Amino acid sequence: MKRLLWIIAALLLVTTVDAQQPEITLEDIWINYTFYPGAISEIRSMEDGEHFTVLSNNAIDKFSYKTGEKKETVLNGNELRDEKGRKVTIGDYYFSKGEKKVIIATQIRSVYRHSQKAFFYIYDFYRATLTPLSDAEKGMQRLAAFSPDGSMVAFVRENNIFIKDLEKNLEIQVTKDGVEGRIINGTCDWVYEEEFGFTDGFKWSPDSRHIAFYRFDESNVKEFQLEYYGALYPYIYKYKYPKAGEDNSVVTIHAYDVKKRKTKIMDTGKERDIYIP
């Protein structure tokens, strides 16, 4: 009898607990995100060490590390207009040293898993001006990066490296041999991007006088092809993909002297069938 009473009491307890639980629906989980934890991502620390910025609702907002409170809107993309009078959507951004200028990436498109191309703009906080990094008719750009002194921006377009002198409003072409499917300058081939997880194939020297960069010769790398569904007919996509035992890209490292406009190859040894990650 005593055992029976314990069983009845346990059942009553379970029933009471179940009755108090709210109903959980698939909409709560996958549409309303009711149980999704709060988080913050893509924060950029500011040079004072006390604040960070976050891109939210097409604006770069400044927050306090100490309190978590928003201090100000550093730049509102909804108030920016490009050279044709269109609103600028901020997809990403990169401050110069001293945070006097910021690179804005807009109309971002993916290339592979990590790589992207976009149209870039330079916003000058002192002059309150928005300037395109390059002529849009020349094509989209990649990997735009300020020189350490903030006077120049290097970027990649169609497998070649360019430098924009912001003070002279002058675009300088660093490499000229870049060809789709053959030569890559300043960024990486598919293998390096996928297996080593990076696409930034150039670096400024600390004094802003040189740029070191990767050059990939993938002329002998065999192609792999994939069939994709199209709107009406499927289409074939091809890319360079070395399988085990096949030729990889021949990778060399170069250094460009910004003032002399000359490039030299760096000594990485005689062996060419290597990785330089």
Side-chain angles (χ1 to χ4, degrees), residues 47-65:
E47 291 184 5
D48 63 9
E50 297 181 1
H51 299 89
F52 63 90
T53 58
V54 174
L55 180 60
S56 176
N57 299 320
N58 202 33
I60 302 173
D61 293 326
K62 178 180 176 180
F63 291 83
S64 166
Y65 270 122

Side-chain angles (χ1 to χ4, degrees), residues 141-199:
Q141 307 104 40
R142 299 176 62 184
L143 302 168
F146 281 112
S147 60
D149 64 8
S151 66
M152 297 172 284
V153 174
F155 64 94
V156 174
R157 181 176 58 226
E158 295 181 351
N159 290 8
N160 282 310
I161 302 172
F162 296 81
I163 295 175
K164 179 68 172 289
D165 187 321
L166 301 179
E167 297 175 355
K168 298 178 181 178
N169 193 29
L170 177 66
E171 185 174 293
I172 303 163
Q173 186 166 353
V174 175
T175 64
K176 298 181 180 179
D177 60 345
V179 179
E180 183 70 26
R182 293 181 61 189
I183 304 297
I184 304 171
N185 293 292
T187 185
C188 301
D189 69 354
W190 184 90
V191 173
Y192 273 59
E193 176 173 346
E194 184 65 22
E195 304 302 340
F196 298 135
F198 76 99
T199 63

Side-chain angles (χ1 to χ4, degrees), residues 113-133:
R113 186 191 302 266
H114 304 289
S115 51
Q116 299 175 329
K117 56 184 177 179
F119 290 111
F120 291 94
Y121 289 83
I122 310 297
Y123 186 82
D124 187 314
F125 289 102
Y126 180 75
R127 296 185 175 91
T129 56
L130 183 72
T131 308
L133 175 60

Side-chain angles (χ1 to χ4, degrees), residues 46-108:
M46 303 197 75
E47 291 184 5
D48 63 9
E50 297 181 1
H51 299 89
F52 63 90
T53 58
V54 174
L55 180 60
S56 176
N57 299 320
N58 202 33
I60 302 173
D61 293 326
K62 178 180 176 180
F63 291 83
S64 166
Y65 270 122
K66 186 175 182 179
T67 66
E69 295 179 355
K70 177 182 173 180
K71 293 297 183 180
E72 63 175 315
T73 294
V74 176
L75 186 63
N76 189 347
N78 298 310
E79 298 175 355
L80 299 177
R81 295 295 181 270
D82 65 13
E83 61 273 24
K84 294 184 179 180
R86 300 169 298 189
K87 184 179 77 172
V88 174
T89 300
I90 304 175
D92 207 346
Y93 64 98
Y94 316 92
F95 287 108
S96 66
K97 185 177 180 180
E99 297 163 347
K100 297 177 181 179
K101 301 183 183 76
V102 64
I103 293 173
I104 295 171
T106 186
Q107 300 182 47
I108 298 175

